[in-house]
Amino acid sequence: MKLSIYQTVIEEADLYKRYGKVQRVIGIMIESIGPAANIGEVCYIHSSIKNNRKPVLAEVVGFNNENIILMPYNEVSEIGPGCLVESTGKPLTVKVGRGLIGKVVDSLGTPLDGSPLPKGLTSYLTEQSPPNPMSRPTISEPIQVGVKAIDSLLTVGRGQRIGLFAGSGVGKSTLLGMIARNSKADINVIALIGERGREVNEFIEKDLGPEGLEKSIVVVATSDQPALMRIKGAYTATAISEYFRDLGYNVNLMMDSVTRVAMAQREIGLATGEPPTTKGYTPSVFSVLPKLLERTGTNKNGTITAFYTVLVDGDDMNEPIADTVRGILDGHFVMDRKLAEQGQYPAINTLKSISRVMNQVVSEEQLKLAQEVRTLLAKYEENKDLIQIGAYKRGSDNEIDKAIKYHPQIMTFLKQSIYEKLTFEETVEKLKDVLNGGN
């Protein structure tokens, strides 16, 4: 019985290794005659020069008649017509496990410091399907972020997905570092996509620090890397988060930035012949974003609380990527350049920001306090011009008088130094003190 099984396997085995041949290279695309491969499969391109160079890793991204279109993960060098193309028959996988905690890796899961991967890691597919919506538990408890403005007025639920909307230089990387150090998540997974090479070390050493790195895994794909590596950085970070979520951990995923992921997908789309649509973005961008962002959140085992930064060109909140991402996520925090210019850090505009699950994760007492503070801030902003030019006379309106009285205390409360650390309970107590006239 057993021998017949082995005999069948031997008879059905394909004993030939089939190769394709590079036909042409156009920009960032490589066109090959064969081998048989499906979309998403990884291929090796062997250099025709006999110098023991490692083969170039590439992924099948499309077809042109009978030819396959490949996009390399790394820069193409010494590739010419006739180079052999070998299909692995598998999509991209990365090695994940607890041994990665404290490491900085690239989009393929290789440590950037050149050290070998720890033993005991598991292979995990970078592209996964989002959880079944019926298997997602509802978000019912808050998570400590460690930033007063967020924990008090924009409370985040465990398993929520938040967008940080900001222009360049408003302090979003600093805010991510504060969240990584101060939050109560078990593990942080941080994806730096399209960052300048200089900023990577700065973020790890200054914003994240040793305290944050010891419970974090950092995935880096700098701006000089090919588009495929940048988009795979986002997939790899999300896959690592999913692996730990399935083990029952509460994970924080921080991606800086989802805009650069969209730009990388636009490059791939244009190179494969997609037509540009809204502001030059191809249709695939708007289909890829929901698939990527919906992978995070809750499942029956654990949670991924996700923070995605969105670069807002010219502080325009209605540009295509910002508008699309805002519609997918469970809340958005708007970082205001005017507040940053006034020295108000973190520069979160609480009136323009919203947490869509706050009402279901905080106590009624905190909700009333937060609503009262927002009302006072809104009343002050509404009459700001009159107050500043001295046109408003005190006593004319009790609500405006109250807003003027409490405004300095509220703004002082919302201000927080980079290394100031407060628990969720301490933040709520300080919020009570602000409205009770305390300091």
Side-chain angles (χ1 to χ4, degrees), residues 204-237:
I204 292 166
E205 291 176 10
K206 292 182 181 177
D207 296 330
L208 190 58
E211 181 188 356
L213 186 59
E214 69 181 14
K215 64 168 187 175
S216 301
I217 300 167
V218 184
V219 181
V220 175
T222 49
S223 58
D224 59 296
Q225 293 185 332
L228 196 58
M229 278 292 269
R230 279 177 271 140
I231 197 165
K232 287 300 172 185
Y235 285 124
T236 296

Side-chain angles (χ1 to χ4, degrees), residues 36 54 70 86 212 259 278 305 316 341 358 434:
K54 288 184 179 178
L70 300 152
E86 177 190 354
T259 307
T278 317
T305 307
D316 175 17
E341 288 166 355
M358 181 177 176
V434 167

Side-chain angles (χ1 to χ4, degrees), residues 381-437:
E381 283 299 315
E382 191 182 326
N383 299 278
K384 189 176 182 178
D385 293 340
L386 291 174
I387 295 164
Q388 288 182 341
I389 63 172
Y392 173 75
K393 290 182 181 179
R394 295 206 174 213
S396 303
D397 188 308
N398 287 336
E399 288 186 13
I400 299 176
D401 289 344
K402 190 177 179 183
I404 294 169
K405 176 187 173 185
Y406 282 103
H407 190 261
Q409 293 167 236
I410 292 169
M411 297 310 286
T412 303
F413 165 74
L414 294 176
K415 195 179 286 187
Q416 185 172 346
S417 63
I418 295 172
Y419 295 103
E420 184 183 352
K421 189 173 181 178
L422 286 96
T423 65
F424 188 85
E425 292 75 19
E426 288 170 342
T427 298
V428 175
E429 284 302 315
K430 281 186 174 287
L431 182 65
K432 289 179 188 174
D433 291 342
V434 167
L435 292 176
N436 292 333

Side-chain angles (χ1 to χ4, degrees), residues 139-268:
I139 298 167
S140 57
E141 56 180 307
I143 185 170
Q144 175 188 306
V145 173
V147 178
K148 287 188 289 185
I150 297 173
D151 282 344
S152 59
L153 306 181
L154 301 162
T155 311
V156 175
R158 197 181 295 278
Q160 189 176 353
R161 299 161 305 145
I162 292 288
L164 299 177
F165 292 76
S168 55
V170 187
K172 59 187 179 303
S173 295
T174 306
L175 179 60
L176 285 183
M178 289 173 70
I179 294 170
R181 289 193 309 274
N182 299 344
S183 79
K184 274 199 169 180
D186 302 321
I187 292 170
N188 298 313
V189 180
I190 303 166
L192 303 178
I193 311 297
E195 288 288 323
R196 303 173 189 89
R198 171 186 63 81
E199 290 180 332
V200 173
N201 251 342
E202 279 186 13
F203 176 82
I204 292 166
E205 291 176 10
K206 292 182 181 177
D207 296 330
L208 190 58
E211 181 188 356
L213 186 59
E214 69 181 14
K215 64 168 187 175
S216 301
I217 300 167
V218 184
V219 181
V220 175
T222 49
S223 58
D224 59 296
Q225 293 185 332
L228 196 58
M229 278 292 269
R230 279 177 271 140
I231 197 165
K232 287 300 172 185
Y235 285 124
T236 296
T238 307
I240 292 170
S241 305
E242 288 170 321
Y243 171 82
F244 285 106
R245 176 180 65 184
D246 290 344
L247 292 179
Y249 289 89
N250 294 311
V251 184
N252 266 3
L253 170 63
M254 284 165 271
M255 191 177 293
D256 186 14
S257 72
V258 75
T259 307
R260 293 194 179 112
V261 175
M263 288 176 175
Q265 182 60 39
R266 176 174 64 183
E267 279 184 52
I268 294 170

Side-chain angles (χ1 to χ4, degrees), residues 31 51 123 135 143-144 290 319 374 379 408:
E31 195 170 313
N51 56 3
S123 291
S135 69
I143 185 170
Q144 175 188 306
E319 64 98 23
R374 290 174 78 96
K379 184 61 72 174

Side-chain angles (χ1 to χ4, degrees), residues 334-389:
V334 178
M335 302 190 74
D336 196 325
R337 193 176 298 280
K338 287 182 181 177
L339 290 175
E341 288 166 355
Q342 293 165 12
Q344 180 79 28
Y345 287 103
I348 300 170
N349 188 325
T350 51
L351 294 177
K352 291 182 180 178
S353 306
I354 190 168
S355 169
R356 290 179 181 162
V357 304
M358 181 177 176
N359 291 4
Q360 62 201 51
V361 298
V362 299
S363 64
E364 281 191 27
E365 182 189 17
Q366 186 186 338
L367 200 58
K368 283 181 181 177
L369 290 168
Q371 286 171 343
E372 191 173 344
V373 168
R374 290 174 78 96
T375 302
L376 292 170
L377 282 172
K379 184 61 72 174
Y380 186 90
E381 283 299 315
E382 191 182 326
N383 299 278
K384 189 176 182 178
D385 293 340
L386 291 174
I387 295 164
Q388 288 182 341
I389 63 172

